[in-house]
Amino acid sequence: MDLVIRDARVIDGTGGPSYRADVALAGGRIAEIRREGEPRPPGRRSLDAHGLALAPGFIDMHAHSDLALLRDPAHEAKAAQGVTLEVIGQDGLSYAPVDDRTLAEVRTQITGWNGDGSDIDFDWRTVGEYLDRLDRQGIAVNAAYLVPQGSVRMLVTGWEDRRATADEIRRMRRLVAEGLEQGAVGLSSGLTYTPGMYATGAELTELCRVVASYGGYYCPHHRSYGAGALAAYAEMVELTRAAGCALHLAHATLNFDVNKGRAPELLALLDAALAGGADISLDTYPYTPGCTTLVAMLPSWASEGGPEATLARLRDDATALRVRRAMEIEGADGCHGVPIDWDAIEVSGVSDPRLAGRVGRTVARIARERGQEPWTAARELLIADGLGTTILQHVGHEENVRAIMRHPAHTGGSDGILHGSKPHPRAYGTFPHYLGHYARELGVLSLEECVAHLTSRPAARLRLPDRGLVREGFRADLVLFDPETVAAGSTFEAPRQLPTGIPFVLIDGRFVMEDGRRTDVLAGRAVRRTPVR
């Protein structure tokens, strides 16, 4: 054996009781599991795991590391949490498939998520070429990719707010099929982000039929997490039912005052669909605030035509006044149909370093300090930062967070944006926060249940036959953590602090974290869709 992990408390990912065992690794896989009292396997190297829990590597079902994986080979933010696989290409916007025009547009649109990419050689255009680039360069953790529906629509129809023609839908179906053939695991949407939000339900259903034929899943950021949240969830359930497609609800929470305490209504909707034979899963992050870009708060009509058209509207006083009215009085669709509360919008990152003084302040506070109205401060910031401003939106409810994470269809996803000087702490802390705060301290889930939510359930959604469990023959993607001390180090005040209590992480049997330190191992690879059998 290459390595024997001795005397570990094995939490195997099934949700069943833990047990003590020696676990032997060979050739990047789990070769033997010898329970306490059985003969101990020999190995060239052994690791004393007394006092530590051994679990499958955690799977981040909602990550925004599309460029971070290329920019930062160490990727310590995720490796230190025990994450061994991330799912990227989220919220309908990413960098493949693209052409020269749409690459420039999407780089501008999601600068707030990933930076402008000026430090990246974009030597790909297709999904397959992007996945090949990850493999060629070498990455810290494994990565699976979703075809981004907004990027597909951008390629075919541009930024127009209109119905797609039958020919355009055929072209979009072909692009989705090509992405799946090249290894994507499904399709994502950002239905509060332009231009993906311009798609009708009928258009999305046609794309989901393609996804279903390849055995993938649909992962929508649906049309509202606020005033229309329950109707938006219901739309996604019905849409995928009609398409015969598996559904995975992205960051499935209920926010804003209109949804306080309404998680049971969402769960009842999902339970009814599951009882009727639907294939549904979801992910959440274990925090109440959300994180997105400031430009995403605008009404959709203000972003039609792309980033330059958006900036032109913001510079025009009369149009900007219409935008303000939509946001502050009517409740813009970008802000989920709820009038914006500027005291709840905290700037977490800027693209222009000259604007760094705004970071960590709410828009309302910035306005007070500058003697302005909040809309004026927000408008000036959007223009000055070229739409690259990232925000925290403090609109969540703890009772909803806890209720949803208990559901059997739940999995963990960080929704972690690593860009910006003061990112959401979920980027560095999601998985230890689940284990330490919600399992150990609050008992919302047992430790065994919590590990299952973070491992075997996402592996099942991704159709990965040899990941997500501590089982002989499975890949040796493993994490060793101390159940008594594991905790997120990241906070809203210091969001880039690494977790405690996770000393060892292995991918394919190789240490990417050893004694609490990042090694130089780049064991990650692009994890491509498992063909339908």
Side-chain angles (χ1 to χ4, degrees), residues 250-274:
H251 36 63
T253 189
L254 287 160
N255 293 330
F256 304 92
D257 288 346
V258 295
N259 289 315
K260 187 174 183 179
R262 299 188 72 185
E265 296 176 58
L266 167 61
L267 300 180
L269 168 70
L270 300 183
D271 285 339
L274 288 163

Side-chain angles (χ1 to χ4, degrees), residues 61-62 87 89-92 146-147 149 186-190 208 211 217-222 236 240 245-251 283:
M61 285 296 288
H62 193 101
V87 185
Q90 298 284 354
D91 294 332
L146 295 164
V147 179
Q149 171 257 332
L187 175 73
S188 76
S189 282
C208 283
V211 176
Y217 68 93
Y218 181 44
C219 180
H221 164 131
H222 47 81
M236 296 299 101
T240 48
C245 184
L247 172 64
H248 180 84
L249 295 163
H251 36 63
D283 66 67

Side-chain angles (χ1 to χ4, degrees), residues 434-443 445 447 482-487:
Y434 266 120
L435 297 167
H437 184 60
Y438 283 96
R440 182 183 66 241
E441 295 175 3
L442 298 180
L445 298 165
L447 192 59
D482 184 343
E484 300 303 317
T485 64
V486 63

Side-chain angles (χ1 to χ4, degrees), residues 76-82 427-433 485-490 495-503 513 516:
E76 198 170 31
K78 294 299 180 68
Q81 294 184 61
Y428 282 74
T430 286
F431 295 88
H433 199 50
T485 64
V486 63
S490 59
R496 293 189 185 274
Q497 298 298 309
L498 296 178
T500 57
I502 306 180
M513 297 290 298

Side-chain angles (χ1 to χ4, degrees), residues 335-347:
C335 196
H336 307 276
V338 177
I340 197 162
D341 176 4
W342 294 114
D343 281 302
I345 306 297
E346 177 186 353
V347 176

Side-chain angles (χ1 to χ4, degrees), residues 311 315 351-352 354-355 358 378-389:
L311 286 166
R315 293 187 182 107
S351 294
D352 187 337
R354 293 171 296 182
L355 301 169
R358 281 30 170 221
R379 177 190 178 194
E380 287 184 358
L381 180 56
L382 282 165
I383 294 170
D385 205 25
L387 310 181
T389 306

Side-chain angles (χ1 to χ4, degrees), residues 382-397:
L382 282 165
I383 294 170
D385 205 25
L387 310 181
T389 306
T390 309
I391 60 167
L392 303 182
Q393 193 172 18
H394 296 271
V395 292
H397 303 285

